[in-house]
Amino acid sequence: MKELCISEECIKSTGFSYTLSLINGKYKMTILYTLAVFQVVRFNEMKRYIEDISYKTLSSALKELEADQLVHREEYPQIPPKVEYSLTERGKSLMPILNAMCDWGEQNRLST
């Protein structure tokens, strides 16, 4: 097996970089976690659950996750409008990574 030489490589061409480009952002992983736990969530429910996220930031992050095909947005034609969010199959495929992070956090967080 050929040894890698850093001067001949670029992180942008790695799977790590691609994955990070999809989940990078202060709240994207939190949104994915929320949808993994609760499956189908309405916008205001998510806003209340995450608490410190602004409406604008939540809306923007959801739009980005939807554009990256990690989150599905279902809009119902009724009054008042009803919109629900859930993980796509692609989004669900990130769950082993998220679960590993949760496990690591449970094992390594300090007791309070």
Side-chain angles (χ1 to χ4, degrees):
M1 187 160 118
K2 182 183 173 192
E3 190 173 317
L4 292 176
C5 178
I6 195 166
S7 64
E8 298 170 3
E9 302 294 330
C10 176
I11 195 160
K12 289 182 181 181
S13 64
T14 64
F16 171 80
S17 180
Y18 176 72
T19 304
L20 195 58
S21 75
L22 297 179
I23 61 173
N24 196 19
K26 185 173 180 182
Y27 293 101
K28 284 185 178 180
M29 289 298 289
T30 304
I31 291 167
L32 292 171
Y33 172 81
T34 302
L35 294 173
V37 171
F38 298 103
Q39 280 103 44
V40 178
V41 181
R42 294 179 71 179
F43 184 90
N44 284 329
E45 292 173 330
M46 192 174 310
K47 168 68 176 93
R48 281 191 296 275
Y49 181 72
I50 298 174
E51 292 183 323
D52 57 347
I53 190 171
S54 71
Y55 287 101
K56 182 178 178 181
T57 301
L58 178 57
S59 178
S60 176
L62 283 166
K63 285 177 184 174
E64 289 174 17
L65 290 166
E66 184 182 9
D68 291 330
Q69 301 175 339
L70 298 175
V71 169
H72 173 72
R73 181 181 189 268
E74 184 73 32
E75 188 172 344
Y76 297 91
Q78 65 185 50
I79 297 175
K82 178 181 174 182
V83 178
E84 294 178 335
Y85 295 90
S86 59
L87 292 175
T88 62
E89 288 305 313
R90 188 174 192 214
K92 290 176 185 175
S93 72
L94 280 170
M95 290 310 100
I97 296 167
L98 188 60
N99 289 335
M101 290 174 63
C102 291
D103 292 345
W104 187 92
E106 289 297 327
Q107 294 169 7
N108 291 282
R109 70 180 173 172
L110 300 175
S111 299
T112 54

